[in-house]
Amino acid sequence: MPTIHIRKTWDLDRSAATPEADFNGRRAFLAQVGLGGLGGLGAYGLITACRPSVADDGDVDVEDELRQTLVPPPGSAFEPGKRVAAYTLDRPLTDELTAARYNNFYEFGLNKERCWREAQRLTVRPWTIEVSGLVDKPLTLGIDDIIRKMPVEERLYRFRCVERWSMAVPWHGFSFRAFMDWVKPLSSAKFVRFVSFLRRDQAVGQRGNSGYTWPYYEGLRIDEAANELCFVATGIYGHDLPRQHGAPFRMVLPWKYGYKGAKSIVKIEFVEKQPRTFWNDQNPREYGFLSNVDPNKPHPRWSQATETMIGTNAPRPTLPYNGYGEFVAEMYKG
Ligand SMILES: Nc1nc2c(c(=O)[nH]1)N[C@H]1C(S)=C(S)[C@@H](COP(=O)(O)O)O[C@H]1N2
Ligand SMILES: [Mo]
C-alpha cells in the first residue's frame, strides 16, 4: 500500500484558527483555573482551552485513517442520489479528504484539524430523531426510515464558515421542505429548532466545565426552512456522511454561515417564537440569528470581504448570500 503523506501547504491563518472559540475558550479556561482544579476535565480540556491554535500534524500519515472514517455504518439505508442540475459551482470541488480533516465540531474539541478523529467515537446507529412541538403528530423517526422515505438527491453547494474558510462539496440528502411535507408542521409554527446530541461519554468537548451550553441548538424561520436551498445532508461525496461532517443527519444552509447548520441532530421542534441559538448564547455581539453571508457586514473581529477555500492559499471575494441571492434574497426584503 502506498504511503501518502499529506502536507498542508495551504495552511489558513493560524492566529485565527479557532476564532469562534476565542471568546468562550478563554472564559472556560479561566473558569477552570478559578475553580482551582482540572478534575474530571483531563488534559484534553486544558489543551483546547489554553491553546486556541494548535500546530497541525504536519507530515503524519493520516490518509488510511481518514479513509476509514468514510466506511458506512452497519445497516445504513443510504444510497447516493442523482445530481440536481440547478445547483452549479463557480469553483472546483474541495478534495474529499481535505474537507474530511478540517471541521468545526466543538463536541469533539476545538481543534479543526483533529476533531475528525475524536468524532469517530460517536455511535450513529441506531439513531432516532424526535419531531415535536407544533406538528400534526409528534413522532420519533429512525434515521434509516427517514432515508428510505425521502427523495435523496445530490447537490453541489458552496459552504462558508464565519471564520472565513470555505469549501465546495457534493452533499447527498433531501430538501427540508420534503421532510416538512412528511411531518406536517401546523400553520401556527413560525420557526423550527434543531438540537444536536448530548453524550458526554462520547463527546470529549461536552465533558467537564467547558463553558458551552450543550447540546448544540440552532433555528430557522419557517420560510427559510421551506426555501428550496434548505437541505438535510445524510451523505457527502457519494456515500454516508462521515461523523466529522455531522452524521447521520445535519442541516446545510448554503446562504448562511456554517454554524447555522447543526450537525448530528436528534430533535426537530416546530415552535411559535424565535428560538435561541447556541452561538448567539455564547456571544450575542458576534453571532446573530439570521447570519446570512454578507461581505459588507464585518464580524466584530474581522472583515468578511474575502474567504479562502480550504486546500488553497488564495483569498477570493465573498459573495452576498454566498452567491445564492437569486434563491433567497426575496425572503429578506423589508
Ligand atoms: N452540533 C454541531 N454542529 C455544528 C458545529 C458544531 O460545533 N456542533 N459547528 C458548525 C460550524 S461553525 C461549521 S463551520 C460547520 C462545519 O461543518 P463541516 O465540519 O462539515 O465542514 O458545522 C456547524 N455545525
Ligand atoms: Mo463555522
Side-chain angles (χ1 to χ4, degrees):
M1 196 173 293
T3 304
I4 297 166
H5 295 285
I6 301 179
R7 181 195 281 279
K8 296 224 337 287
T9 51
W10 40 279
D11 199 12
L12 294 172
D13 179 9
R14 289 283 174 221
S15 63
T18 57
E20 280 166 347
D22 230 33
F23 171 83
N24 213 45
R26 286 204 192 111
R27 192 181 64 180
F29 178 61
L30 293 174
Q32 284 149 18
V33 172
L35 287 171
L38 302 165
L41 183 75
Y44 193 89
L46 182 61
I47 288 164
T48 56
C50 68
R51 290 177 58 193
S53 67
V54 180
D56 184 26
D57 300 350
D59 260 353
V60 178
D61 175 9
V62 294
E63 175 155 337
D64 286 347
E65 203 186 334
L66 265 175
R67 287 200 188 286
Q68 280 302 311
T69 72
L70 310 181
V71 173
S76 168
F78 178 81
E79 278 178 42
K82 270 222 186 68
R83 184 171 296 180
V84 182
Y87 310 114
T88 54
L89 294 177
D90 56 351
R91 58 195 77 180
L93 280 176
T94 299
D95 167 68
E96 173 167 19
L97 294 188
T98 301
R101 66 171 303 198
Y102 195 86
N103 308 94
N104 270 334
F105 207 164
Y106 279 26
E107 287 87 334
F108 298 105
L110 274 58
N111 187 313
K112 283 182 229 315
E113 291 155 303
R114 295 201 179 150
C115 64
W116 64 270
R117 199 179 269 133
E118 209 37 64
Q120 304 316 308
R121 297 185 193 277
L122 183 69
T123 52
V124 295
R125 292 295 188 286
W127 188 280
T128 56
I129 296 173
E130 182 191 326
V131 182
S132 62
L134 304 169
V135 275
D136 220 17
K137 192 155 36 97
L139 73 183
T140 297
L141 301 163
I143 182 64
D144 293 303
D145 294 329
I146 297 173
I147 290 172
R148 272 188 287 266
K149 175 91 176 182
M150 291 288 96
V152 172
E153 56 188 41
E154 182 188 52
R155 296 187 183 191
L156 311 184
Y157 273 173
R158 292 179 292 273
F159 181 98
R160 173 62 153 78
C161 173
V162 73
E163 299 164 334
R164 287 178 296 188
W165 57 267
S166 61
M167 61 182 185
V169 298
W171 300 107
H172 291 254
F174 43 89
S175 71
F176 191 71
R177 188 154 62 189
F179 186 77
M180 289 203 291
D181 286 345
W182 182 24
V183 302
K184 296 195 173 43
L186 303 175
S187 59
S188 52
K190 304 295 181 223
F191 295 88
V192 55
R193 179 170 176 264
F194 304 93
V195 185
S196 300
F197 65 89
L198 180 64
R199 298 186 187 169
R200 297 187 200 284
D201 56 328
Q202 298 179 0
V204 67
Q206 293 183 328
R207 270 174 236 156
N209 188 4
S210 72
Y212 290 109
T213 53
W214 303 117
Y216 199 91
Y217 44 98
E218 254 303 335
L220 294 172
R221 295 190 329 214
I222 208 78
D223 61 327
E224 297 178 311
N227 186 278
E228 64 165 290
L229 287 185
C230 181
F231 198 64
V232 175
T234 53
I236 191 170
Y237 294 97
H239 50 69
D240 283 81
L241 209 55
R243 290 162 176 81
Q244 61 267 39
H245 282 306
F249 184 120
R250 70 88 61 84
M251 298 306 299
V252 181
L253 300 316
W255 74 100
K256 292 181 177 288
Y257 290 117
Y259 60 84
K260 289 297 295 180
K263 292 172 157 182
S264 307
I265 289 166
V266 297
K267 184 174 176 178
I268 297 170
E269 194 180 2
F270 292 93
V271 296
E272 201 191 320
K273 297 224 162 65
Q274 179 176 305
R276 300 170 68 142
T277 58
F278 179 85
W279 276 107
N280 186 254
D281 279 347
Q282 314 316 306
N283 191 343
R285 212 172 68 86
E286 300 191 351
Y287 307 107
F289 182 80
L290 284 183
S291 303
N292 294 321
V293 175
D294 186 350
N296 301 313
K297 187 177 169 198
H299 183 279
R301 286 183 280 135
W302 57 83
S303 159
Q304 292 292 19
T306 62
E307 64 194 60
T308 304
M309 294 278 285
I310 55 174
T312 77
N313 278 317
R316 53 183 302 151
T318 290
L319 305 170
Y321 299 110
N322 200 22
Y324 294 100
E326 58 171 309
F327 300 99
V328 299
E330 196 63 35
M331 293 192 290
Y332 306 105
K333 290 243 167 79

